[in-house]
Amino acid sequence: MKYLYRIYQLFVVLPVLIFMTILMAVAVGIGTTIGDGHFWGYYPGRWWARVILRVCLLPVTVEGRENLEPNQSYVFVANHQGAFDIFLIYGYLDRNFKWMMKHQLGKIPFLGYACRKSHQIFVDKRGPKKIKATIENARHILQQGNLSVVVFPEGSRTFTGHMGFFKKGAFSLADELQLPVVPLTINGSFHIMPRMRDWHFANWHPLRLTIHQPIAPIGKGPENIQATMQQSYNSIMSALDPEYQGYVENPDQ
């Protein structure tokens, strides 16, 4: 069965992935030029992600959508198990949001173009001015209302399936804008394509996204940032599969 799935990926999934990525980039490029940038900056990506997961025959379960209020902006924070985290969140979170992503991703053909045109937030740490510009861009987007942002606070994908420590950038942003933070737990992505097997065949495995209760700010400043970060970490950890419970150091953090 494993080898049949690999043949299917080579002759079905790969062509669909290439076609859909180009189509998505073109749709975003044209749509954001002539229409509503927030609509075209989100929905083509959402459809792209859903098609890819369905073509890959990967079952998806989402828990906790009822925890979210309509027309409320959030800072979503998630554990980062693997490459398929992007498809899962983009396709199934069902909220209009922007990604906070490494600036290097903007150089990927077609995908990087779509990200730039849709005003995703590139995190650039090459000096204080670039860091400040990143925060200002995120603030500007979130203050427009009914838009959220998704961040992987570990900063990189896990090597083991376990979570590393969280960096405080997303929580500082939420504190500054006094927005609720929503923890997201991802399960299954590490089994499909772990970081050590980038550009290899994917493995079949169900995906599950757990949307936790929003964490409202308890004030403003370092105490609120630390409390929100710790509560988010605990919430995400609580819904991880038992084999990935507990902290394990991530070598590149």
Side-chain angles (χ1 to χ4, degrees):
M1 186 62 72
K2 179 176 73 172
Y3 294 105
L4 282 176
Y5 189 47
R6 288 184 175 181
I7 293 171
Y8 173 77
Q9 289 178 60
L10 186 61
F11 290 102
V12 178
V13 175
L14 182 59
V16 170
L17 174 62
I18 294 171
F19 173 76
M20 287 300 299
T21 300
I22 295 173
L23 181 64
M24 184 265 293
V26 171
V28 170
I30 295 174
T32 53
T33 300
I34 65 175
D36 181 357
H38 294 313
F39 176 91
W40 290 101
Y42 168 66
Y43 284 98
R46 180 188 180 212
W47 299 326
W48 166 76
R50 286 197 172 206
V51 168
I52 298 307
L53 289 182
R54 287 176 180 175
V55 170
C56 288
L57 310 178
L58 301 172
V60 174
T61 303
V62 181
E63 304 168 347
R65 280 206 190 101
E66 67 278 4
N67 292 328
L68 303 180
E69 296 290 337
N71 303 318
Q72 169 67 54
S73 295
Y74 294 107
V75 175
F76 292 98
V77 294
N79 61 311
H80 206 356
Q81 281 205 334
F84 278 73
D85 298 345
I86 306 299
F87 299 117
L88 179 61
I89 292 177
Y90 224 156
Y92 291 91
L93 183 58
D94 285 356
R95 304 288 292 202
N96 196 329
F97 68 86
K98 304 295 183 185
W99 293 100
M100 289 191 74
M101 58 178 67
K102 294 179 179 179
H103 70 92
Q104 293 93 333
L105 296 177
K107 300 177 182 178
I108 298 176
F110 295 106
L111 188 60
Y113 169 79
C115 289
R116 291 192 302 273
K117 289 291 290 183
S118 58
H119 307 293
Q120 306 302 328
I121 304 166
F122 291 103
V123 179
D124 195 334
K125 299 180 180 179
R126 295 173 296 178
K129 288 186 178 180
K130 292 187 179 295
I131 294 173
K132 184 178 180 181
T134 297
I135 298 299
E136 288 297 325
N137 188 21
R139 181 192 295 111
H140 172 72
I141 289 171
L142 288 170
Q143 286 177 334
Q144 295 180 45
N146 202 24
L147 283 173
S148 298
V149 64
V150 174
V151 188
F152 296 111
E154 292 167 274
S156 56
R157 289 170 291 162
T158 176
F159 280 101
T160 64
H162 295 259
M163 280 203 299
F165 63 82
F166 280 0
K167 299 173 183 178
K168 68 178 184 179
F171 306 98
S172 297
L173 178 64
D175 174 74
E176 184 172 343
L177 299 179
Q178 290 293 280
L179 289 174
V181 173
V182 179
L184 305 173
T185 301
I186 294 170
N187 282 293
S189 179
F190 185 73
H191 290 276
I192 295 170
M193 187 176 288
R195 183 174 180 176
M196 307 80 70
R197 293 186 56 80
D198 279 348
W199 307 107
H200 286 67
F201 288 104
N203 300 310
W204 187 93
H205 196 280
L207 284 162
R208 186 171 79 253
L209 177 66
T210 303
I211 303 170
H212 297 273
Q213 288 278 355
I215 303 169
I218 57 172
K220 193 169 186 179
E223 185 177 342
N224 177 56
I225 294 170
Q226 184 60 40
T228 306
M229 184 164 61
Q230 188 60 55
Q231 190 174 345
S232 297
Y233 192 93
N234 293 341
S235 294
I236 295 172
M237 182 72 75
S238 71
L240 279 173
D241 289 337
E243 63 185 305
Y244 298 122
Q245 292 278 336
Y247 168 79
V248 172
E249 184 180 2
N250 193 351
D252 68 348
Q253 279 196 307

